[in-house]
Amino acid sequence: QKEVEQDPGPLSVPEGAIVSLNCTYSNSAFQYFMWYRQYSRKGPELLMYTYSSGNKEDGRFTAQVDKSSKYISLFIRDSQPSDSATYLCAINTGTASKLTFGTGTRLQVTL
Amino acid sequence: NAGVTQTPKFQVLKTGQSMTLQCAQDMNHNSMYWYRQDPGMGLRLIYYSASEGTTDKGEVPNGYNVSRLNKREFSLRLESAAPSQTSVYFCASSEWNRDPGRKAFFGQGTRLTVV
C-alpha cells in the first residue's frame, strides 16, 4: 500500500464552483500535511500546510485534516481559471526531513 | 532571489551514457532532495540529504547516485542511463526542522529523455 493515495483526476469544473481535492494516508505517525500546486512545466509550489487535525483557511482555500480517518482535503471556493493546475498533497512525520507526495490531481477550471 | 537552480533544463541521452544533474540553493537550507515525476506516478523521492555530509535513499534509488558537495549543492548522477529513467527531475530544499510548515522549495525541473 502506498503511503499516500490521491485520485489523479482529471477534474473539470466550471468557474465559480467549489472544488474538493482529497488524499488518504496510511501512517499514523504523519504530523504535517501540505498542499502543493504545480502549473504545467513548472516546479511545485507550497499552497498551504496544516499541523495535526483541524481546518486552516487562507482566502479561497481551506485545508482540512482528519487524523482519525487519515484523510486530508483541500477546498477551493469560487474557483477561477487561474486555479487550473495539478494539486499534490504531501506529508511529513515531523521527525525526519523526508516529504512523501501523492500522485497529484489535475484540475481544470473552465469559463 | 534565485531559490533552487537546476541545470540543465533539458537533456537527451543515449542508452548507456552517463550524466550529472546539478542543483544549487541559496536559502541556506540544511535538507535537499531529488525527485522524479512521471505521468500517473506523482513525485517519487530518489535520494535526499537531511544535512550536509549525509545522504539517504528514497523510494526509487536504483540507477542513481548522489553527492552533497557542500551545503548549497546536491548533484544527481546517472552512471548508465536507461530508457526507464526518462522523466522530469526536480531538486528541492527545505529547512524542515526549523520550519513549522515543513516547506520544500523546488527548482524548475530537468526534462531528461533517454533514447
Side-chain angles (χ1 to χ4, degrees):
Chain A
Q1 182 186 7
K2 292 191 71 171
E3 286 190 304
V4 186
E5 302 275 2
Q6 185 175 8
D7 186 336
L11 182 63
S12 183
V13 300
E15 183 179 9
I18 297 174
V19 176
S20 172
L21 304 166
N22 309 292
C23 289
T24 58
Y25 63 96
S26 58
N27 187 346
S28 58
F30 291 128
Q31 297 283 344
Y32 292 84
F33 307 92
M34 289 140 278
W35 286 95
Y36 282 78
R37 179 173 59 195
Q38 185 178 22
Y39 290 114
S40 181
R41 295 186 168 268
K42 299 289 187 182
E45 293 178 298
L46 181 71
L47 189 61
M48 293 188 71
Y49 74 90
T50 54
Y51 170 69
S52 196
S53 285
N55 291 1
K56 185 173 183 178
E57 192 172 313
D58 184 3
R60 296 184 295 110
F61 299 89
T62 300
Q64 190 174 79
V65 177
D66 181 349
K67 291 192 76 179
S68 62
S69 303
K70 300 190 182 70
Y71 196 82
I72 59 176
S73 302
L74 178 71
F75 298 97
I76 307 174
R77 291 184 299 280
D78 188 24
S79 55
Q80 304 294 311
S82 58
D83 295 327
S84 298
T86 295
Y87 291 81
L88 303 109
C89 61
I91 52 179
N92 174 261
T93 62
T95 58
S97 65
K98 191 174 77 166
L99 266 181
T100 302
F101 283 84
T103 54
T105 300
R106 189 156 60 90
L107 172 67
Q108 181 74 36
V109 181
T110 57
L111 291 168
Chain B
N1 198 23
V4 179
T5 303
Q6 289 182 235
T7 55
K9 288 187 170 48
F10 302 92
Q11 184 71 48
V12 179
L13 287 179
K14 293 182 179 178
T15 297
Q17 286 185 318
S18 62
M19 80 161 293
T20 299
L21 281 64
Q22 307 286 355
C23 175
Q25 51 95 6
D26 62 3
M27 295 172 282
N28 203 35
H29 286 165
N30 278 315
S31 300
M32 297 186 74
Y33 314 82
W34 276 105
Y35 289 90
R36 60 178 288 175
Q37 188 172 38
D38 304 289
M41 304 293 285
L43 281 164
R44 292 184 292 169
L45 184 63
I46 304 171
Y47 272 93
Y48 66 107
S49 172
S51 60
E52 187 178 357
T54 69
T55 59
D56 286 286
K57 294 179 180 179
E59 184 183 353
V60 288
N62 291 346
Y64 305 94
N65 284 301
V66 291
S67 295
R68 184 73 184 266
L69 304 168
N70 48 55
K71 192 171 185 180
R72 290 186 65 248
E73 298 171 289
F74 188 39
S75 63
L76 178 72
R77 183 159 179 83
L78 287 70
E79 290 291 352
S80 179
S84 61
Q85 293 178 304
T86 293
S87 187
V88 181
Y89 291 85
F90 287 100
C91 177
S93 72
S94 77
E95 194 59 38
W96 70 274
N97 60 340
R98 283 186 281 175
D99 176 3
R102 302 303 195 256
K103 291 186 292 292
F105 294 83
F106 283 81
Q108 291 298 293
T110 297
R111 293 183 175 275
L112 176 66
T113 302
V114 183
V115 297

